[in-house]
Amino acid sequence: MSPSQDPLSSQFAPDEPGRFPAWRNLPRRSRGLSLRTLVILRWMAIAGQSATIGIAVLYFHFDLPLWSCLAAIGASVAMNLNATARLKRSDGSLPDGRMTAAHLGFDILQLSILLGLTGGLQNPFCLLLVAPVTVAAASLPGRQAALMGLLVLAATVSLFFVSLPLPWQAGTELNLPPLYRFGIGLALVTGVIFTSAYAWRVAADAEKLELALATTQDVLQREQRLAALGGLAAAAAHELGTPLATIQVVAKELLRASTKGGPAAEDAALILQQAERCRDILKRLSQAPEEGQSAFAEVGLKALLEEVVEPHRGFDLNFEVSVRTASGEKAPRVRRLPEVVHGLSTLVENAADFAAGKVRVRAIVDAGFIEIEVVDDGPGFPADILPRLGEPYVTSRPQGKARRALAAQIAASVAAATPGRKGKKAAKAEPAPEAIAPSQGGMGLGFFIARTLLERTGGKVFVGPGDGGSTPAKGQPKGARVAVRWSRPALEVSS
């Protein structure tokens, strides 16, 4: 059984197995920053630069090219005034990747010019070159973030060779040796690489988690909508009962008035048969009243297990469903929560996909808890995946296995139902395809969604080896076991 319901749809497209992802397929982490955010950040930078220049000149009396420095700061002010004017003409709260890259590129150039005028790599404020690249790594697509990194690298190399002397007190000059400046440049480049890589990784994980949580919310909303549809189905069943009864009465009259064994009698009998089938369907629909009513909000524990197992029967698997209670007491009635139904269905589907021939679904009721376990006789959890169970985008499901098997089953059914032409030798029968329960393709979020939904109801999810144990005997399957445990008040309906 896999820790995930669906095949992994990786965000990366490797050039070949075991290699790093192709550069052209680097994923887009975000859409950049809003113009309003960029304006605020630049005003903060302008304030800091102006304060630093003012203190250096007025307090320390450093001899620096004041007007050139003020011109560089003035260019940044002009850029921000232009951006502020654009804010008034458009909505500046929307993120824009290209605009963010352009503004960050301008900030890198402006800061590089300012550093070149005030000592280059000898200036301790050269550390500020790390900031724009970090922002780019956290908010821009891979190519644009890498472009910002290359721009900082070029600025670092230029500052090593071309820069004015470091401003110092009047009458003195501070000249650091080239080796020291080289070390500063190397440390700056190293800091840019590691800081931007860290920001990139954090942004990627946050984006994955956000997508996974959004998917979880969508699943829960779908289950709640299905629960609401139960009430509509019950109302429809009630309304359709009267016309269906009229159809049955008319069909019986036609059957009595028709010649026995004639075409009309056969048609009337068919109408009666189908009307009775419709009545059975409406009867089942009427057993699911509106959401919030006790008959639908609660169900027997054994019936809940049968409900989550039923869709997966009929695929050459033996399902064992049982309830074990302490001292042989009667199995309790539990709340039929959409989160529980969907979460358990996902666990059963995982077990059905990986089981060799048997899946056991058992509920254990004790004095203080209710535990539902799903055990299969498949290969079990891989050792490299077991520590990461519960994380989004983690799966060991073979790509396309269920889809290929389902397609083969459909093709075999169509071939069997198609009569051969007379006079021609029947084609040699092909072996029947292996019947397995088909599962939906996705992005490796199944187990994550199931665990999130089950834990939302107060349950705790445990995973481990199946009946074969951690070290099964030779020829015996290891199997996998997933158990969910609730305290009895969290799931049981109080009498």
Side-chain angles (χ1 to χ4, degrees):
M1 182 166 61
S2 169
S4 174
Q5 175 183 342
D6 306 318
L8 174 64
S9 177
S10 175
Q11 290 189 345
F12 299 107
D15 290 327
E16 52 184 298
R19 297 298 184 113
F20 290 106
W23 176 261
R24 61 182 178 276
N25 291 322
L26 280 175
R28 184 187 182 97
R29 296 300 180 208
S30 180
R31 294 183 177 180
L33 301 177
S34 66
L35 184 58
R36 181 174 289 107
T37 301
L38 292 170
V39 168
I40 294 174
L41 291 176
R42 185 173 291 112
W43 281 128
M44 294 172 60
I46 291 171
Q49 293 170 1
S50 302
T52 303
I53 295 295
I55 293 173
V57 173
L58 300 178
Y59 183 79
F60 291 104
H61 304 290
F62 286 170
D63 184 18
L64 52 78
L66 179 60
W67 293 109
S68 299
C69 294
L70 292 179
I73 297 175
S76 189
V77 171
M79 182 73 170
N80 235 23
L81 292 176
N82 179 61
T84 304
R86 289 184 56 190
L87 271 176
K88 297 178 180 179
R89 298 193 302 266
S90 61
D91 184 6
S93 61
L94 298 177
D96 188 332
R98 291 185 178 181
M99 180 189 65
T100 301
H103 279 258
L104 291 177
F106 171 83
D107 291 338
I108 293 173
L109 291 175
Q110 188 263 355
L111 181 58
S112 301
I113 293 174
L114 203 56
L115 289 172
L117 294 171
T118 55
L121 295 182
Q122 299 180 89
N123 190 329
F125 288 100
C126 66
L127 181 65
L128 293 176
L129 284 172
V130 175
V133 185
T134 304
V135 173
S139 61
L140 289 178
R143 293 177 182 175
Q144 296 178 4
L147 182 60
M148 297 299 103
L150 291 176
L151 192 58
V152 168
L153 178 61
T156 303
V157 174
S158 300
L159 291 174
F160 179 80
F161 292 103
V162 181
S163 66
L164 295 180
L166 179 67
W168 206 245
Q169 295 176 347
T172 60
E173 184 176 348
L174 180 64
N175 287 320
L176 299 177
L179 183 60
Y180 183 83
R181 290 189 289 114
F182 175 79
I184 292 293
L186 184 61
L188 179 60
V189 172
T190 305
V192 166
I193 293 174
F194 278 95
T195 306
S196 58
Y198 175 78
W200 173 271
R201 186 66 256 176
V202 170
D205 290 343
E207 187 179 19
K208 281 185 178 181
L209 188 58
E210 182 181 359
L211 176 61
L213 291 176
T215 306
T216 302
Q217 288 296 119
D218 290 342
V219 169
L220 181 57
Q221 290 175 5
R222 185 173 68 247
E223 291 294 335
Q224 290 172 342
R225 286 196 297 268
L226 290 177
L229 285 176
L232 296 177
H238 176 74
E239 296 294 332
L240 291 174
T242 301
L244 185 61
T246 304
I247 292 174
Q248 286 184 305
V249 170
V250 174
K252 288 179 182 178
E253 294 296 331
L254 288 175
L255 183 60
R256 279 196 293 266
S258 304
T259 305
K260 187 176 181 180
E266 292 179 358
D267 292 341
L270 180 60
I271 293 174
L272 276 175
Q273 178 187 0
Q274 296 302 313
E276 188 62 31
R277 181 183 175 190
C278 291
R279 182 172 290 278
D280 291 339
I281 294 173
L282 294 179
K283 184 178 180 181
R284 288 197 298 269
L285 291 175
S286 64
Q287 292 174 352
E290 295 181 1
E291 183 180 3
Q293 296 186 9
S294 59
F296 186 58
E298 61 184 66
V299 68
L301 185 55
K302 181 69 175 293
L304 177 65
L305 300 185
E306 291 288 353
E307 180 182 354
V308 299
V309 167
E310 185 61 31
H312 308 287
R313 294 187 186 275
F315 292 96
D316 291 348
L317 291 176
N318 178 27
F319 285 90
E320 296 181 4
V321 180
S322 61
V323 177
R324 192 180 73 188
T325 59
S327 304
E329 62 177 334
K330 183 180 178 182
R333 293 183 67 80
V334 296
R335 297 180 180 87
R336 188 193 178 280
L337 302 174
E339 298 96 327
V340 174
V341 173
H342 181 85
L344 293 178
S345 297
T346 298
L347 300 183
V348 172
E349 182 173 354
N350 275 352
D353 279 349
F354 284 85
K358 183 178 71 173
V359 176
R360 184 178 74 243
V361 182
R362 180 173 62 181
I364 302 173
V365 183
D366 206 342
F369 65 85
I370 297 176
E371 181 176 295
I372 299 177
E373 65 174 11
V374 181
V375 183
D376 66 67
D377 59 350
F381 294 117
D384 59 330
I385 286 183
L386 193 58
R388 298 186 292 130
L389 280 177
E391 298 179 9
Y393 306 99
V394 176
T395 183
S396 64
R397 185 186 307 279
Q399 291 275 357
K401 170 188 173 185
R403 289 184 182 139
R404 291 195 302 270
L406 180 61
Q409 292 175 39
I410 294 175
S413 301
V414 172
T418 303
R421 295 182 180 179
K422 294 183 179 181
K424 289 196 174 183
K425 188 177 180 180
K428 185 178 179 180
E430 296 182 359
E434 177 188 3
I436 66 171
S439 60
Q440 298 173 353
M443 295 188 299
L445 295 174
F447 189 82
F448 171 79
I449 293 174
R451 183 170 186 168
T452 302
L453 294 178
L454 293 170
E455 289 181 347
R456 178 178 292 182
T457 64
K460 292 185 177 180
V461 181
F462 305 91
V463 296
D467 296 335
S470 300
T471 55
K474 186 177 181 180
Q476 182 182 2
K478 179 179 180 181
R481 176 181 180 270
V482 178
V484 190
R485 177 177 293 188
W486 296 266
S487 62
R488 290 191 67 159
L491 195 61
E492 184 178 5
V493 177
S494 56
S495 56

